[in-house]
């Protein structure tokens, strides 16, 4: 899959993103000289050994050896595939993905996305032109929505009738089949008809801005009030969030995202200038939802009714969130008065009051301990012991880190028990010994490492050239690196590493980009020295056939000259 992504696109992408920003969104960094440091997010440690280099555009942990680029970090931290990481970073900087990139294995779904987009255009057009559009426009105005917001979210109208969309887009058997595949038409007794009829239509976009589904809301008292697209090859309600694409498009930095329950809540808050709002699609918040949210913001605020059903839904959201709360991530809970939703709340009390409510949202820690404390008698020893018993399974779901330690400390304070000693993680990576001498390196590996860590070496004048006849795998990579840098002298270490489609090569280059070279003199002299050693290796390889011959009479004149030269070189050494 990575091979389908043009190297030029990866180069452009890495030149636009900053690895410091990418890492800092997930792991808070602090400056340490010319670099940034933090406790490593990939193994348990108390003393920071994780560094991020702005000049190299590379991260490296001296404790566990984790390393990589702005692309590698979301792959390891968020468990994304290479194409998903490319898509994520490109979206974050507004870089349009090449149309030829195929991110999914299996069938080509581009015709389905194109048909979905045509349907969105059709519904939007009907909101302006259909005879029923006046009724739909009046309904939206009564809900306080302007034409600008309707256009921003591509709100449309599915007019009354059984086959309006079918007649417009269903030209031919293949198109009808595609419309059924993406859930825009249904079948009964061999007859097809529009799935969405006489409803306000809300297109659902994925993070790339493609329409993947729809939500339709009735304008009267019909049921169901909301009708969503079914599961299709391009739409999975447990992964998509309404309004996330629009929020990321409107806001460069998103300090928090508010999770609400309905489409109208999202657009109503947007009407009041509150754009950091998303909605789940008629389902509880899933781990996939949360991973997608935390890639866009460090804090998620869940918004629920304050009644029992709302509290129960909030508790389910808490349970889903706990395993994902790595350091740097936060979750809070906003409970509205009974019978109110974000739409009605913001219309009654205004933007500032609603933002103030968001600021006062209950931290996950308080919600968890308050809920569990209500189930025991905190005035008795037995009750506090019971609190520990109830809370411990939830705290064990938290990832290792500062937040988990603080939650254990809070439980100890509430219950009056000592803090449990922290056990080292058996699955953690082994820390490298401090002060260990660097491992000896082959000349070609050292030359590559020098070039990766000091790319300016490639632009020196009069670099030795004789070594180029060497045909080993390392020498081939070294030649390619030199050629790339001589043509693109501004390339960073990160760009050089990601140029390779072969994952194993990228992995080894990543290691060489961070290896301790223990340089005591001039880097340029060391680089020249490596190339001279490679030249000698090339001579050795060229003379090997001659030395393998037993009798001088078997040698050609050219082979005899090579052996003489080898003898003279050894004397000069």
């Amino acid at each position: 899959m990575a091979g389908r992504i043009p190297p030029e696109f990866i180069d452009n992408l890495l030149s636009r993103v900053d690895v410091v920003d990418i890492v800092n969104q997930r792991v808070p960094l602090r400056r340490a000289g010319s670099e940034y440091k933090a406790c490593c997010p990939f193994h348990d440690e108390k003393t920071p050994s994780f560094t991020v280099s702005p000049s190299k555009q590379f991260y490296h942990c001296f404790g566990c050896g984790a390393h990589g680029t702005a692309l590698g970090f979301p792959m390891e931290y968020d468990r994304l595939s290479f194409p998903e990481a490319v898509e994520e970073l490109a979206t974050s900087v507004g870089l349009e993905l090449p149309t030829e990139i195929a991110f999914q294995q299996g069938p080509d779904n581009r015709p389905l996305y194109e048909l979905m987009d045509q349907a969105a255009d059709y519904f939007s057009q009907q909101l302006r032109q259909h005879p029923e559009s006046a009724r739909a426009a009046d309904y939206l105005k009564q809900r306080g929505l302007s034409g600008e917001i309707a256009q921003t979210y591509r709100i449309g109208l599915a007019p009354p009738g059984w086959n309006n969309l079918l007649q417009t887009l269903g030209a031919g058997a293949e198109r009808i089949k595609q419309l059924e595949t993406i859930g825009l038409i249904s079948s009964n007794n061999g007859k097809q008809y529009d799935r969405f009829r006489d409803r306000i239509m809300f297109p659902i976009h994925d993070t790339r801005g493609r329409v993947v589904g729809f939500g339709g809301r009735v304008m009267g008292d019909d049921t169901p009030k909301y009708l969503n697209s079914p599961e299709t090859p391009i739409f999975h309600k447990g992964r998509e969030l309404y309004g996330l694409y629009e929020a990321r498009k409107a806001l460069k930095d998103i300090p928090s995202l508010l999770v609400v329950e309905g489409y109208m809540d999202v657009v109503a808050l947007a009407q009041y200038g509150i754009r950091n709002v998303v909605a789940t699609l008629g389902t509880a918040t899933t781990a996939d939802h949360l991973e997608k949210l935390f890639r866009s913001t460090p804090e998620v605020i869940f918004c629920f009714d304050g009644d029992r059903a709302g509290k129960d839904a909030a508790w389910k959201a808490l349970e889903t969130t706990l395993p994902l709360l790595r350091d740097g991530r936060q979750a809070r809970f906003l409970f509205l008065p009974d019978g109110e939703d974000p739409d009605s709340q913001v219309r009654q009390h205004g933007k500032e009051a609603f933002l103030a409510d968001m600021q006062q949202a209950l931290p996950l820690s308080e919600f968890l301990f308050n809920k569990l404390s209500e189930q025991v008698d905190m005035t008795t020893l037995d009750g506090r012991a019971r609190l520990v018993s109830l809370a411990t399974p939830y705290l064990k779901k938290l990832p290792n880190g500062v937040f988990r330690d603080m939650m254990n400390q809070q439980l100890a304070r509430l219950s009056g028990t000592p803090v449990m000693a922290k056990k080292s993680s058996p699955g953690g990576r082994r820390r490298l010994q401090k002060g260990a001498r660097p491992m000896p390196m082959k000349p070609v590996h050292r030359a590559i490492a020098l070039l990766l860590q000091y790319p300016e070496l490639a632009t020196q004048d009069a670099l030795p050239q004789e070594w180029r006849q060497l045909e080993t795998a390392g020498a081939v990579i070294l030649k390619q690196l030199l050629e790339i840098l001589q043509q693109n002298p501004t390339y960073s270490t990160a760009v050089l590493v990601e140029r390779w489609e072969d994952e194993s090569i990228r992995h080894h280059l990543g290691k060489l980009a961070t290896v301790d070279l223990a340089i005591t003199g001039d880097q340029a002299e060391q680089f020249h020295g490596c190339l001279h050693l490679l030249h000698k290796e090339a001579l050795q390889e060229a003379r090997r056939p001659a030395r393998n011959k037993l009798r001088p009479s078997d040698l050609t004149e050219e082979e005899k000259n090579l052996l003489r030269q080898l003898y003279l070189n050894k004397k000069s050494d």
Side-chain angles (χ1 to χ4, degrees):
M1 295 205 303
R4 302 186 189 181
I5 304 174
E8 297 77 18
F9 180 80
I10 300 298
D11 299 343
N12 187 19
L13 175 61
L14 289 175
S15 70
R16 294 191 184 206
V17 299
D18 185 348
V19 69
V20 175
D21 291 338
I22 300 302
V23 175
N24 195 47
Q25 289 172 7
R26 298 158 172 85
V27 180
L29 298 172
R30 61 177 177 81
R31 183 174 281 279
S34 62
E35 298 183 334
Y36 292 82
K37 297 190 78 172
C39 285
C40 181
F42 303 119
H43 81 287
D44 191 18
E45 65 176 7
K46 292 187 179 296
T47 303
S49 60
F50 181 84
T51 63
V52 184
S53 169
S55 59
K56 295 179 183 177
Q57 286 296 298
F58 221 75
Y59 69 87
H60 176 65
C61 177
F62 292 95
C64 69
H67 62 268
T69 66
L71 271 172
F73 190 80
M75 289 172 65
E76 190 162 4
Y77 189 86
D78 295 324
R79 297 180 178 85
L80 300 182
S81 66
F82 182 76
E84 288 172 335
V86 170
E87 180 178 355
E88 187 72 26
L89 292 189
T91 304
S92 71
V93 295
L95 188 61
E96 186 174 348
L97 293 160
T99 55
E100 69 270 18
I101 292 180
F103 281 106
Q104 294 181 336
Q105 292 179 318
D108 182 3
N109 288 324
R110 282 177 293 181
L112 304 184
Y113 290 113
E114 292 168 4
L115 193 54
M116 271 291 194
D117 195 63
Q118 292 173 23
D121 285 341
Y122 168 78
F123 292 136
S124 180
Q125 183 184 50
Q126 297 305 298
L127 183 59
R128 299 189 303 269
Q129 299 178 359
H130 194 273
E132 288 290 324
S133 62
R135 181 167 69 98
D138 286 343
Y139 171 80
L140 293 176
K141 287 177 183 177
Q142 289 171 11
R143 300 298 299 264
L145 298 185
S146 66
E148 181 183 358
I149 288 296
Q151 187 174 5
T152 298
Y153 287 84
R154 296 182 76 181
I155 296 173
L157 169 68
W162 289 93
N163 57 3
N164 293 293
L165 181 70
L166 181 60
Q167 288 186 340
T168 304
L169 299 181
E174 181 63 25
R175 293 273 284 188
I176 292 174
K177 182 179 179 181
Q178 289 175 343
L179 286 170
E180 191 166 4
T181 298
I182 57 179
L184 287 175
I185 64 173
S186 301
S187 298
N188 188 18
N189 294 326
K191 294 183 179 180
Q192 290 87 22
Y193 56 91
D194 292 353
R195 177 180 179 84
F196 298 99
R197 305 178 301 278
D198 198 18
R199 290 176 180 268
I200 299 293
M201 297 298 289
F202 299 88
I204 302 162
H205 298 86
D206 64 9
T207 52
R208 290 178 63 181
R210 301 172 300 190
V211 180
V212 293
F214 289 93
R217 192 196 192 285
V218 297
M219 290 173 279
D221 298 324
D222 293 342
T223 56
K225 181 190 290 187
Y226 282 102
L227 181 65
N228 294 320
S229 289
E231 296 281 310
T232 72
I234 62 174
F235 177 65
H236 306 280
K237 63 182 179 180
R239 300 179 195 168
E240 304 299 339
L241 291 150
Y242 180 72
L244 180 58
Y245 169 73
E246 289 81 359
R248 292 172 59 160
K249 190 175 180 182
L251 304 170
K252 182 179 180 181
D253 296 313
I254 307 178
S256 64
L257 279 167
L258 182 72
V259 182
V260 297
E261 295 186 87
Y263 305 101
M264 285 302 303
D265 294 325
V266 173
V267 295
L269 291 171
Q271 184 67 56
Y272 281 81
I274 304 173
R275 299 298 300 272
N276 57 326
V277 188
V278 301
T280 53
L281 309 174
T283 184
T285 307
T286 66
D288 285 337
H289 285 147
L290 284 164
E291 285 289 5
K292 191 167 288 190
L293 288 167
F294 280 126
R295 289 175 211 153
S296 302
T297 184
E299 181 178 73
V300 173
I301 304 174
F302 296 98
C303 184
F304 293 100
D305 289 345
D307 58 12
R308 181 172 179 176
K311 292 286 180 67
D312 289 344
W315 189 255
K316 290 180 180 177
L318 177 145
E319 291 182 297
T320 305
T321 306
L322 286 174
L324 306 175
L325 281 181
R326 297 192 283 264
D327 290 345
R329 294 179 173 184
Q330 300 178 58
R332 292 193 288 151
F333 294 84
L334 173 60
F335 294 104
L336 301 179
D338 289 357
E340 298 292 342
D341 56 30
D343 181 8
S344 63
Q345 191 77 354
V346 75
R347 280 192 284 158
Q348 289 179 32
H349 303 287
K351 174 182 178 180
E352 297 306 321
F354 194 88
L355 290 175
D357 289 340
M358 287 178 62
Q359 290 293 326
Q360 298 300 315
L362 198 64
L364 176 141
S365 56
E366 289 188 36
F367 180 41
L368 185 145
F369 288 125
N370 289 350
K371 174 85 170 175
L372 297 180
S373 297
E374 292 172 358
Q375 303 175 33
V376 301
D377 183 355
M378 292 295 291
T379 64
T380 68
L381 289 175
D382 290 347
R384 293 196 294 273
R386 175 64 177 155
L387 175 66
V388 174
S389 177
L390 290 173
T392 298
Y394 293 103
L395 301 194
K396 284 183 176 179
K397 293 181 180 180
L398 290 167
N400 287 329
V402 175
F403 182 65
R404 179 173 177 170
D405 291 346
M406 294 178 69
M407 290 287 280
N408 281 316
Q409 291 168 9
Q410 177 66 358
L411 177 59
R413 282 192 292 269
L414 290 172
S415 62
T417 56
V419 180
M420 295 293 289
K422 186 177 179 181
K423 295 181 180 179
S424 59
S425 173
R429 305 184 197 183
R430 185 167 56 88
R431 177 181 290 275
L432 301 177
Q433 292 183 358
K434 289 187 177 180
R437 296 183 61 184
M439 293 289 289
M441 300 174 66
K442 293 182 179 179
V444 68
H445 293 158
R446 188 170 183 83
I448 291 173
L450 282 163
L451 203 54
L452 288 170
Q453 296 185 31
Y454 306 97
E456 64 273 11
L457 293 175
T459 59
Q460 295 177 89
D461 295 329
L463 281 174
Q465 300 295 320
E466 298 87 350
W467 63 274
R468 286 180 172 272
Q469 57 191 292
L470 200 61
E471 294 297 331
T472 63
V476 171
I477 291 175
L478 180 59
K479 292 175 201 174
Q480 291 176 327
L481 278 172
L482 276 168
E483 290 168 5
I484 291 169
L485 278 170
Q486 286 163 356
Q487 295 173 11
N488 306 277
T490 61
Y491 273 3
S492 66
T493 303
V495 172
L496 291 173
V497 172
E498 295 294 354
R499 289 282 296 185
W500 264 260
E501 295 176 2
D502 189 317
E503 186 177 349
S504 63
I505 294 178
R506 288 203 307 270
H507 176 72
H508 289 301
L509 291 182
K511 282 188 173 182
L512 291 174
T514 56
V515 70
D516 182 6
L517 294 171
I519 294 176
T520 55
D522 181 54
Q523 300 101 329
E525 288 182 8
Q526 295 213 11
F527 188 59
H528 277 254
C530 289
L531 297 185
H532 282 302
L533 289 173
L534 290 176
H535 176 217
K536 291 184 178 181
E537 283 188 25
L539 287 175
Q540 294 281 359
E541 285 297 316
R543 293 160 189 153
R544 192 181 303 279
R547 286 184 300 176
N548 287 340
K549 293 186 177 181
L550 297 178
R551 296 178 300 176
S553 58
D554 293 334
L555 298 174
T556 65
E557 283 302 315
E558 183 180 0
E559 290 171 339
K560 290 177 182 178
N561 288 331
L562 284 171
L563 286 176
R564 291 190 195 101
Q565 188 177 352
L566 177 61
Y567 175 73
L568 291 173
N569 281 342
K570 283 187 173 294
K571 285 188 68 177
S572 65
D573 290 345

